[in-house]
Amino acid sequence: MSLPIDPAAIDPDDFGEKQAVLEMDHEEAIEHVREVCEDVGFGIPVEFSPSELLNEKVDADRDPYYVLGACNPEIANQALDETMKIGGLFPCNVIVWEEKPGRQRVYHVSIMKIAQLLGTAPENDAWDDILETTGELTEEAFERFDAVETTVSD
């Protein structure tokens, strides 16, 4: 199967990629990310550890890896008003994985931007407003990560 686009040619800003490095232990990083997300307006209705699941089920021996499913109900409701298909990408995930003890990578991509790139979301003023709002909230979260023992990194 060939893709209709070259993923290497897409600018990470086009799909809302954000990354930060937290110099703290894994559990502390998860709590920090959860608190910051909630402070900027995202609830965390879903969270789980794929590494724990895989280590238990298939003896994967994975390093700590955690998913926080972030959601702003008002924005989610607006997005669903524009396209019911967006629910296939809900919630907006923020990932925390341990690169080495005491160093955690925080990673996020914008499901709203990805949906538009895929043609799942409309190109209209209402969707532009959703992109702007989610972008501002995400930017604020990553600025707060940066403010507390964090280094923004690729």
Side-chain angles (χ1 to χ4, degrees):
M1 177 181 149
S2 65
L3 297 174
I5 56 173
D6 177 4
I10 300 174
D11 185 321
D13 286 340
D14 290 343
F15 56 90
E17 181 178 65
K18 298 273 185 206
Q19 297 187 57
V21 173
L22 302 176
E23 300 293 342
M24 56 183 66
D25 80 10
H26 190 67
E27 293 301 320
E28 183 182 4
I30 292 167
E31 185 59 31
H32 177 64
V33 169
R34 184 184 300 113
E35 288 175 4
V36 167
C37 286
E38 290 173 349
D39 286 349
V40 302
F42 292 109
I44 308 292
V46 177
E47 53 185 290
F48 66 101
S49 172
S51 59
E52 286 180 15
L53 176 70
L54 295 171
N55 291 345
E56 176 187 320
K57 299 291 183 183
V58 296
D59 197 25
D61 194 30
R62 294 223 165 251
D63 290 335
Y65 188 94
Y66 203 80
V67 178
L68 294 107
C71 182
N72 178 296
E74 184 176 311
I75 297 169
N77 188 48
Q78 292 170 355
L80 285 168
D81 283 345
E82 294 302 314
T83 175
M84 296 299 281
K85 294 176 183 178
I86 193 66
L89 296 172
F90 281 174
C92 302
N93 290 325
V94 180
I95 314 303
V96 180
W97 72 81
E98 185 173 76
E99 291 186 329
K100 64 181 184 180
R103 182 182 173 97
Q104 314 305 315
R105 173 80 51 178
V106 181
Y107 183 82
H108 169 79
V109 295
S110 168
I111 65 167
M112 303 303 185
K113 285 187 175 186
I114 288 172
Q116 198 169 50
L117 284 172
L118 294 174
T120 304
E123 292 192 29
N124 61 27
D125 290 343
W127 201 261
D128 289 345
D129 291 344
I130 290 168
L131 291 174
E132 182 177 345
T133 302
T134 57
E136 288 170 357
L137 293 174
T138 303
E139 188 66 35
E140 182 178 349
F142 274 81
E143 286 173 5
R144 289 186 186 198
F145 297 152
D146 192 38
V148 181
E149 300 180 54
T150 307
T151 311
V152 173
S153 177
D154 290 327

